[in-house]
């Protein structure tokens, strides 16, 4: 190092002392090889690191392999670029006691002399290493975290794929089984709905998922209420009756509500399409039942069709048949199948009433028209305006009333008793009788022109004995009605009981059958109706198949029939009424009408 | 006596220092201590009938904080690329360093070791990847500085290749 000429320059000895204080060994190159000599005193670490004498020339390349490499790297700078400073970067080297230390070398040219500075940088190195260690540890930790996240993600993706596959399998299974299913959460909101169910309700899943379940099914209010009650029962159960989905394609469904095995608060609703079954059931019902009429015998099926036919027109209909065969039921069926079904249906029994009473009842009266007419009164025709008036026992109406009735049928107007001004009425007449009106006409007790007017169409109801095949169905139906009324649970009919019912002649027809079933239900001690439960007369009446009294009524005078029945019943009017298949009240009316002494 | 300089190149924390320590001293430490700069270890080998002294330059790991100085590579007869089997990215780093070494040293012999074979289940580098490298003509080892598996073979194989190439 050349001595400084500037007055501010450090003296040579001071500079060397400074470098020693800084722990830097300064070596000056001797010649062009790897031989250097130390300038000034070496730093304290020199003696414990290198086996060289500070005073002798030093072959730097032999001190450490790294220094040999660095000399090669620095050669071009010393030779061609004196302004360049070459730094080695840190390297590690073991001292004479094998302790690893960190050094850094710098090659530079000063005053045309190649110099090599060697520093021991342990302290600085430790600081840098600590920082770098922390940075790399954090990096490794971050990599571990990312890897963990990736593994978790992979695991979740795998789980999701499995769950999706399982879901698809379940969906495929549901589709294959043609099952429609809905799953709800604890709040009753839909969390899953099968494609089949979506197709039925004709809504996209986006409009159903998350919605309250009861809003997802298009139901009528009664069905919705029923479903709600089943839901609120909280126990797994099957719906007691099918529901009707009111979608574009209406569908009948049966349903089951189950608790989710995984969570009792969740529900699984399974829906089954029963549309076809329901249609078949309706067809069957249609064939076996018509309004309140029961029976599937050919005669009854023919009558159902006849009722449908006459319901479409506005003609007067004469309904014939023995007492208890259901003539009023036919009248009601016609009315409720007709366009007049939303207007009144009124039934009037014409038997046993005097001229004035019947006339007043049918046509109304003006105040003072007769004794007891204390106020204006409109009759059944006016009350029935727009609807259907059923005149039962029309064969029993007095001649004067027949005339008025004929006028109504011809002119469509009535005149109240005591008035002269006719009033227009729009009433369809349905009439019924157990008489043979042809004979009544011949006898002169019934107007022929009225007969032709009321018999525009006619329906003849067969007696029950002529349609015995309907008896089991009738008993089943009546049993259901009676059990519902009485609250008794009768489930079976003993075969002997059925035999009894099938062989009895049923002079009172279905009405008598219903009474017998009521009696049996009340008498029954078990859930099965035994022969002993039925009325005694069924069990003790001789099983002849002769037509009963009433069957002959078309050919025999009513008074004769009454007298014969009283004779057979030995004057017991209740028994006589039973023989005739009529009520005691009707028997009384007829006895009065025929002026038969009714005294006991 | 033949003396050969070889370098260990690779990303940080792949186990370069551990491989050198395992090879030179037969020891291993679980404690990771990052290398700054260069540590040079010497190891004498007998390959066939030839005594060879390996000057093993354990260079600091390449990452965003420390970039490889080409000058450290100069004079190397060959090099060892080190990757961590549990980090796929370290193989990318090794391949990049291979490019640097080739451009600096020319086509000198090298081997690749995928370290940490003791944790094979955690590996991100699969056999197909290694097969691809072998197909390119690379000498690929798998091994573990922790267990010592494959370590002597690695150095021995490179030394043999160096001698064959000389």
């Amino acid at each position: 190092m050349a001595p400084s000429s500037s007055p501010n320059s450090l003296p040579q000895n001071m500079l060397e002392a400074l470098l020693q204080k800084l722990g830097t060994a300064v070596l000056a190159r001797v010649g062009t090889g790897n031989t250097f000599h130390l300038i000034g005193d070496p730093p304290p670490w020199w003696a414990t690191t290198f086996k060289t004498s500070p005073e002798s020339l030093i072959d730097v390349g032999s001190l450490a392999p790294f220094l040999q490499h660095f000399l090669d790297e620095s050669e071009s700078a010393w030779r061609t670029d004196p302004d360049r400073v070459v730094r080695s970067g840190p390297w590690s080297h073991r001292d004479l006691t094998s302790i690893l230390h960190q050094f850094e070398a710098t090659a530079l040219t000063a005053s045309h002399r190649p110099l090599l500075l060697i520093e021991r940088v342990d302290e600085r190195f430790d600081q840098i290493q600590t920082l770098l260690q922390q940075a790399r540890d954090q990096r490794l930790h971050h990599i571990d975290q990312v890897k963990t996240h990736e593994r978790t993600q992979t695991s979740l993706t795998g789980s999701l794929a499995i769950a999706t596959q399982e879901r698809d399998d379940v969906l495929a299974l549901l589709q294959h089984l043609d099952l429609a299913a809905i799953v709800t959460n604890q709040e009753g909101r839909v969390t899953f709905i099968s494609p089949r169910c979506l197709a039925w309700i004709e809504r996209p899943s986006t409009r159903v998922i998350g919605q309250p379940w009861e809003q997802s099914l298009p139901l009528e209010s009664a069905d919705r209420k029923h479903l709600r009650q089943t839901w609120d029962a909280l126990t797994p159960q099957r719906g007691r009756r099918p529901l009707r989905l009111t979608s574009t394609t209406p569908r009948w469904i049966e349903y089951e509500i189950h608790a989710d095995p995984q969570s009792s608060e969740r529900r699984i609703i399974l829906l089954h399409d029963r549309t076809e079954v329901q249609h078949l059931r309706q067809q069957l019902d249609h064939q076996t039942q018509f309004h309140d009429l029961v029976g599937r015998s050919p005669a009854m099926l023919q009558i159902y069709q006849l009722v449908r036919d006459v319901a479409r027109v506005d003609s007067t209909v004469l309904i014939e048949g023995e007492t208890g065969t259901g003539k009023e039921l036919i009248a009601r069926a016609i009315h409720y199948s007709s366009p007049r079904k939303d207007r009144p249906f009124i039934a009037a029994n014409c038997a046993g009433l005097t001229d004035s009473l019947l006339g007043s009842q049918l046509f109304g009266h003006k105040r003072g028209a007769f004794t007891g007419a204390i106020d204006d009164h409109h009759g059944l025709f006016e009350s029935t305006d727009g609807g259907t008036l059923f005149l039962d026992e029309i064969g029993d109406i007095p001649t004067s009333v027949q005339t008025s009735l004929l006028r109504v049928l011809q002119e469509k107007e009535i005149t109240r008793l005591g008035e002269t001004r006719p009033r227009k009425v729009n009433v369809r007449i349905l009439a019924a009788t157990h008489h043979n009106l042809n004979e009544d006409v011949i006898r002169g007790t019934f107007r022929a022109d009225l007969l032709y007017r009321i018999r525009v169409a006619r329906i003849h109801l067969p007696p029950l004995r002529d349609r015995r095949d309907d008896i089991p169905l009738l008993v089943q139906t009546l049993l259901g009605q009676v059990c519902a009324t009485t609250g008794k649970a009768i489930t079976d009919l003993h075969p002997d009981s059925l035999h009894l019912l099938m062989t009895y002649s049923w002079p009172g027809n279905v009405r008598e059958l219903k009474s017998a079933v009521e009696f049996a239900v009340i008498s029954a001690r078990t859930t099965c109706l035994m022969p002993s439960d039925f009325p005694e007369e069924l069990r003790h009446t001789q099983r002849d198949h002769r037509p009963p009294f009433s069957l002959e009524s078309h050919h025999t005078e009513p008074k004769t029939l009454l007298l014969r029945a009283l004779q057979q019943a030995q004057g017991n009017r209740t028994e006589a009424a039973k023989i005739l298949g009529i009520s005691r009240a009707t028997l009384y009316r007829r006895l009065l009408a025929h002026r038969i002494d009714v005294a006991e | 006596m033949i003396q050969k300089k070889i370098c260990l190149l690779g990303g940080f924390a792949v186990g370069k220092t551990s491989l050198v320590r395992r090879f030179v001293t037969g020891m291993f430490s679980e404690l990771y201590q990052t290398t700054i700069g260069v540590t040079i270890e010497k190891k004498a080998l007998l390959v066939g009938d030839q005594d060879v002294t390996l000057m093993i330059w354990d260079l600091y790991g390449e990452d965003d904080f420390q970039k490889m100085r080409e000058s450290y590579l100069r004079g190397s007869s060959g090099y060892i690329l080190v990757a961590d089997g549990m980090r796929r990215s370290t193989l990318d780093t090794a391949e990049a360093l291979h490019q640097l070494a080739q451009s600096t040293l020319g086509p000198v012999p090298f081997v690749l070791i995928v370290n940490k074979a003791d944790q094979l289940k955690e590996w991100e580098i699969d056999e197909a990847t290694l097969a691809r490298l072998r197909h390119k003509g690379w000498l690929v080892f798998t091994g573990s500085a922790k267990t010592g598996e494959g370590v002597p073979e690695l150095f021995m194989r490179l030394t043999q290749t160096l001698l064959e190439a000389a």
Side-chain angles (χ1 to χ4, degrees):
Chain A
M1 195 171 282
S4 175
S5 58
S6 166
N8 295 328
S9 297
L10 283 173
Q12 179 68 27
N13 58 348
M14 187 182 291
L15 187 60
E16 290 169 2
L18 179 63
L19 288 170
Q20 191 184 21
K21 290 279 186 189
L22 289 172
T24 303
V26 182
L27 297 104
R29 194 179 192 189
V30 179
T32 56
N34 290 344
T35 307
F36 289 75
H37 71 84
L38 275 165
I39 298 174
D41 294 328
W45 54 263
W46 183 272
T48 58
T49 306
F50 302 122
K51 294 177 187 170
T52 58
S53 168
E55 292 79 18
S56 60
L57 291 175
I58 302 166
D59 178 3
V60 170
S62 67
L63 294 180
F66 184 82
L67 281 173
Q68 176 62 55
H69 172 85
F70 184 62
L71 291 176
D72 296 343
E73 189 181 353
S74 306
E75 186 61 43
S76 63
W78 278 327
R79 191 173 297 166
T80 60
D81 190 0
D83 294 332
R84 188 172 156 213
V85 175
V86 182
R87 296 186 189 281
S88 69
W91 91 90
S92 305
H93 184 80
R94 295 184 192 282
D95 65 12
L96 298 176
T97 58
S98 292
I99 295 174
L100 204 61
H101 295 280
Q102 279 71 43
F103 298 89
E104 194 159 17
T106 306
L108 52 85
T109 302
S111 302
H112 308 289
R113 291 182 65 186
L115 297 179
L116 178 66
L117 279 64
I118 302 173
E119 294 175 84
R120 201 166 89 170
V121 293
D122 285 351
E123 195 174 331
R124 187 151 46 94
F125 180 90
D126 287 347
Q127 290 172 354
I128 293 170
Q129 191 188 39
T130 302
L131 287 173
L132 193 58
Q133 182 84 35
Q134 285 176 351
R136 285 179 167 172
D137 282 344
Q138 283 184 1
R139 175 70 64 86
L140 287 171
H141 180 65
H142 174 71
I143 289 170
D144 276 349
Q145 277 190 324
V146 169
K147 200 179 287 186
T148 304
H149 290 164
E150 284 175 354
R151 280 199 198 116
T152 307
Q153 188 178 1
T154 304
S155 170
L156 288 175
T157 305
S159 300
L160 184 63
I162 291 168
T164 304
Q165 181 63 49
E166 286 176 349
R167 178 178 168 276
D168 290 347
D169 290 346
V170 170
L171 283 179
L173 193 63
L174 289 176
Q175 286 293 80
H176 182 70
L177 294 174
D178 203 22
L179 273 180
I182 296 172
V183 179
T184 65
N185 62 13
Q186 60 274 23
E187 295 165 357
R189 291 179 183 275
V190 177
T191 57
F192 169 83
I193 182 165
S194 72
R196 173 72 59 189
C197 199
L198 285 172
W200 288 357
I201 66 174
E202 297 167 355
R203 290 179 188 175
S205 62
T206 48
R207 282 189 55 201
V208 178
I209 299 294
Q211 297 300 312
W213 64 270
E214 66 267 31
Q215 289 177 16
S216 62
L217 297 178
L219 294 171
E220 288 169 352
S221 58
D223 279 354
R224 198 178 299 283
K225 188 177 174 187
H226 172 77
L227 183 59
R228 184 84 218 180
Q229 285 171 347
T230 311
W231 178 274
D232 290 342
L234 292 175
T235 52
Q237 57 180 298
R238 180 185 289 270
R240 289 186 300 277
R241 63 176 175 82
L243 307 176
R244 186 166 176 272
L245 290 180
T246 56
S247 35
T248 311
T249 307
R251 199 174 292 276
W252 288 93
I253 56 163
E254 286 181 357
Y255 65 96
E256 300 166 46
I257 300 177
H258 301 275
D260 185 341
Q262 306 294 324
S263 164
S264 59
E265 291 180 326
R266 287 161 33 114
R267 305 281 188 87
I268 300 170
I269 308 164
L270 295 177
L271 307 175
H272 308 277
D273 188 358
R274 294 289 180 263
T275 306
E276 192 176 353
V277 173
Q278 187 68 12
H279 285 169
L280 290 171
R281 190 179 288 155
Q282 282 177 337
Q283 282 179 21
L284 194 63
D285 288 348
H286 201 59
Q287 287 183 347
T288 58
Q289 200 158 354
F290 186 80
H291 292 272
D292 291 331
L293 297 159
V294 177
R296 59 182 166 215
S297 60
M300 290 307 288
L301 295 179
Q302 201 174 358
I303 284 170
Y304 298 159
Q305 187 56 47
L306 201 53
V307 167
R308 285 187 209 102
D309 293 342
V310 299
R312 280 198 287 269
V313 295
D314 216 23
S315 311
T316 306
V317 181
L318 178 63
I319 304 164
E320 298 167 305
E322 292 177 11
T323 184
T325 50
K327 296 185 287 293
E328 186 172 331
L329 294 180
I330 289 288
R332 285 182 185 277
I334 293 171
H335 172 74
Y336 287 109
S337 302
S338 76
R340 293 176 179 266
K341 64 183 177 186
D342 295 325
R343 302 295 299 164
F345 172 87
I346 293 179
N349 193 320
C350 305
L353 297 178
T354 60
D355 297 13
S356 58
L357 261 178
L358 184 58
S360 166
Q361 190 181 16
L362 291 176
F363 309 117
H365 60 254
K366 185 175 167 56
R367 181 181 176 187
F370 53 86
T371 307
I374 56 170
D375 208 347
D376 288 353
H377 176 74
H378 59 77
L380 294 177
F381 270 99
E382 288 181 80
S383 299
T384 318
D385 194 34
T388 303
L389 180 60
F390 173 56
L391 300 175
D392 198 6
E393 305 290 10
I394 198 169
D396 292 344
I397 59 173
T399 312
S400 61
V401 179
Q402 288 179 29
T403 306
S404 302
L405 193 55
L406 182 63
R407 178 178 172 77
V408 176
L409 290 170
Q410 286 174 334
E411 307 300 332
K412 307 285 185 195
E413 58 186 30
I414 54 110
T415 305
R416 288 183 181 177
L417 296 182
E419 281 188 349
T420 53
R421 182 174 62 86
R423 296 166 187 262
K424 283 287 178 190
V425 288
N426 171 22
V427 175
R428 184 183 191 182
I429 302 290
L430 302 177
T433 183
H434 67 283
H435 285 208
N436 183 332
L437 290 182
N438 281 328
E439 290 180 1
D440 288 353
V441 168
I442 293 167
R443 276 198 299 269
T445 55
F446 201 83
R447 289 182 63 132
D449 45 4
L450 179 60
L451 174 62
Y452 302 139
R453 278 285 176 186
I454 62 171
R455 207 172 61 183
V456 176
R458 61 194 292 188
I459 295 175
H460 181 75
L461 281 172
L464 183 54
R465 64 183 170 278
D466 286 353
R467 55 179 187 112
R468 291 183 192 275
D469 290 348
D470 283 338
I471 289 175
L473 184 65
L474 276 162
V475 171
Q476 184 188 344
T477 307
L478 293 171
L479 198 54
Q481 292 171 0
V482 175
C483 285
T485 309
T486 60
K488 292 190 77 170
I490 305 294
T491 54
D492 296 308
L493 181 69
H494 193 278
D496 291 346
S497 300
L498 182 61
H499 177 73
L500 183 72
L501 300 176
M502 291 292 283
T503 52
Y504 184 61
S505 59
W506 299 112
N509 292 297
V510 180
R511 184 184 294 133
E512 187 183 9
L513 176 63
K514 184 177 181 183
S515 298
V517 170
E518 278 179 0
F519 185 92
V521 168
I522 293 165
S523 306
R525 293 287 175 268
T526 67
T527 58
C528 180
L529 289 185
M530 305 302 290
S532 58
D533 295 328
F534 284 91
E536 200 171 341
E537 62 266 26
L538 265 67
R539 285 177 277 128
H540 297 298
T541 302
Q542 193 181 358
R543 295 284 177 268
D544 65 14
H545 296 289
R546 287 179 304 159
F549 265 95
S550 54
L551 191 67
E552 297 175 358
S553 61
H554 289 288
H555 311 288
T556 313
E557 283 290 337
K559 188 171 182 178
T560 309
L561 289 173
L562 289 168
L563 290 170
R564 193 188 293 174
L566 281 169
Q567 188 181 5
Q568 189 174 327
Q570 297 177 333
N572 185 320
R573 284 162 300 169
T574 304
E575 193 62 31
K578 276 188 182 171
I579 291 170
L580 290 167
I582 59 177
S583 66
R584 271 171 59 97
T586 303
L587 178 71
Y588 272 108
R589 281 201 308 272
R590 289 185 185 169
L591 291 174
L592 281 170
H594 290 91
R595 294 183 176 80
I596 297 171
D597 185 10
V598 295
E600 291 281 358
Chain B
M1 171 71 75
I2 301 169
Q3 186 167 295
K4 295 287 184 185
K5 171 185 173 182
I6 61 169
C7 295
L8 273 87
L9 307 175
F12 75 95
V14 294
K16 297 180 294 297
T17 303
S18 294
L19 284 167
V20 174
R21 187 177 297 172
R22 166 64 71 180
F23 181 57
V24 175
T25 68
M27 294 193 298
F28 174 80
S29 169
E30 291 279 3
L31 182 67
Y32 166 61
Q33 195 159 18
T34 189
T35 304
I36 295 178
V38 182
T39 303
I40 301 170
E41 301 285 357
K42 197 185 286 188
K43 175 78 175 178
L45 292 176
L46 180 65
V47 182
D49 56 352
Q50 289 184 291
D51 288 321
V52 181
T53 300
L54 286 181
M55 302 300 293
I56 305 169
W57 285 49
D58 177 17
L59 302 179
Y60 55 81
E62 166 99 356
D63 68 357
D64 294 340
F65 305 107
Q66 294 191 109
K67 291 295 173 190
M68 181 56 56
R69 283 174 64 151
E70 290 176 27
S71 64
Y72 290 160
L73 296 172
R74 290 200 187 101
S76 286
S77 302
Y79 53 93
I80 296 173
L81 297 169
V82 185
D84 177 352
M86 298 194 297
R87 283 184 287 152
R88 178 69 178 79
S89 62
T90 61
L91 189 61
D92 300 334
T93 305
E95 291 191 83
L97 289 168
H98 168 65
Q99 295 296 328
L100 176 69
Q102 291 283 298
S103 64
T104 306
L105 302 172
V108 298
F110 71 96
V111 293
L112 166 72
I113 179 163
V114 185
N115 193 22
K116 306 188 185 178
D118 51 288
Q119 299 180 73
L120 210 54
K121 285 183 181 174
E122 305 289 320
W123 274 32
E124 292 179 354
I125 298 171
D126 56 18
E127 191 55 44
T129 305
L130 301 182
R132 176 179 61 80
L133 295 171
R134 290 191 181 101
H135 187 70
K136 283 167 62 177
W138 287 29
L139 277 172
V140 179
F141 286 78
T142 56
S144 166
K146 184 174 181 179
T147 63
E149 174 197 344
V151 178
E153 295 84 352
L154 167 76
F155 283 92
M156 188 61 77
R157 181 60 188 274
L158 179 63
T159 311
Q160 286 172 341
T161 311
L162 295 180
L163 296 175
E164 288 164 9

